[in-house]
Amino acid sequence: MSERLIAIGDIHGCRLALERLIEAINPQPSDTVVTLGDFIDRGPDSRGVIDVLIELANHTQLVGILGNHEEMMLEVLNHGGAHHAWLRHGGVETLESYGFDGDLDFLPEPHKEFLDSLGDFYAHGEFFFTHAAYDPEATFEEQEIEMLRWYSLTNGIPSKHISGKTAVVGHTANRDGEILHAGHLICLDTYCYGGGWLTAMEMNTQKIWQADRQGRLNEQFA
């Protein structure tokens, strides 16, 4: 199928899962792959995940969304923010993956450029993509960052967006490893780092790929 629109949920340092999904999907130059944010923290190889995404961008149309975990890290590295919350929520694993030696300028230049390229939302056809959620009554340009990056679906699923488009999000981990499909909203965070799956979905056909943190495909969707 040409010109596929594929979304990938929260990766959280699970490089093996990401590599296996990419192998299974085999993205083409005409495809658009939207990564929903939270590439780093908690899992074992945040640095490796960003390396893989940078390489992926050489082969397909990659659209990266900024997650709250990237926001926490960048606040510490770029703006001198307090580091306690970031470290408590997985930043230690990210620092270890970069071989942190006390110098906060540890990101390689290509990684800085990749993080700088990430957006807050992306709209394409019948779908729009954010990391966490959205205000159903606000246009995309008027969305508040708190909703886009931090809102948990455990507090309630927003109603359908005024655009009429279907929302595709991550952030709220489905610890049973299942995709949350509420009709007008699809959540693809299926808890890879905690023992669930890393999930990708081709939006127009709803085809699913899943891999666990050891890089094993979910044979249910093979």
Side-chain angles (χ1 to χ4, degrees):
M1 179 180 176
S2 62
E3 299 182 359
R4 295 178 297 176
L5 177 62
I6 299 161
I8 300 177
D10 300 38
I11 303 167
H12 278 306
C14 296
R15 177 181 59 83
L16 294 178
L18 177 62
E19 288 179 330
R20 191 68 182 91
L21 276 194
I22 292 171
E23 179 185 342
I25 295 167
N26 189 24
Q28 300 299 303
S30 60
D31 294 334
T32 298
V33 177
V34 185
T35 49
L36 296 173
D38 282 4
F39 314 120
I40 63 167
D41 296 351
R42 293 180 167 151
D45 194 1
S46 293
R47 177 175 185 154
V49 164
I50 295 182
D51 283 335
V52 170
L53 292 174
I54 290 171
E55 175 62 21
L56 178 61
N58 294 324
H59 303 284
T60 194
Q61 300 176 61
L62 182 68
V63 178
I65 304 295
L66 187 71
N68 64 303
H69 282 260
E70 287 81 41
E71 180 183 280
M72 284 191 288
M73 179 179 74
L74 294 174
E75 181 65 26
V76 172
L77 302 188
N78 296 343
H79 305 292
H83 61 270
H84 306 290
W86 177 43
L87 297 183
R88 191 168 62 249
H89 291 98
V92 171
E93 291 88 339
T94 295
L95 291 174
E96 289 176 348
S97 77
Y98 280 94
F100 179 65
D101 62 2
D103 182 0
L104 284 178
D105 189 23
F106 61 81
L107 288 174
E109 196 59 37
H111 288 214
K112 294 179 183 177
E113 293 173 2
F114 172 78
L115 291 166
D116 286 344
S117 74
L118 302 176
D120 297 327
F121 67 89
Y122 176 67
H124 185 109
E126 299 176 9
F127 303 92
F128 73 98
F129 306 82
T130 78
H131 174 61
Y134 57 93
D135 178 345
E137 300 301 325
T139 66
F140 298 133
E141 292 75 15
E142 294 171 333
Q143 294 286 327
E144 294 185 2
I145 293 301
E146 182 73 19
M147 285 294 296
L148 294 178
R149 221 135 47 222
W150 290 90
Y151 181 85
S152 173
L153 298 180
T154 60
N155 295 320
I157 295 176
S159 58
K160 191 166 187 175
H161 188 257
I162 55 172
S163 67
K165 298 178 185 292
T166 298
V168 186
V169 304
H171 183 63
T172 303
N174 300 315
R175 294 175 184 266
D176 58 4
E178 298 291 330
I179 296 167
L180 170 63
H181 203 316
H184 66 282
L185 178 146
I186 301 169
C187 180
L188 296 180
D189 184 353
T190 45
Y191 200 44
C192 184
Y193 77 90
W197 303 99
L198 179 61
T199 296
M201 178 183 286
E202 202 289 310
M203 303 315 306
N204 295 304
T205 63
Q206 306 279 288
K207 178 176 173 57
I208 295 165
W209 301 264
Q210 289 185 322
D212 67 15
R213 62 182 290 167
Q214 285 79 38
R216 297 172 297 211
L217 285 178
N218 185 350
E219 298 300 328
Q220 175 184 350
F221 301 109

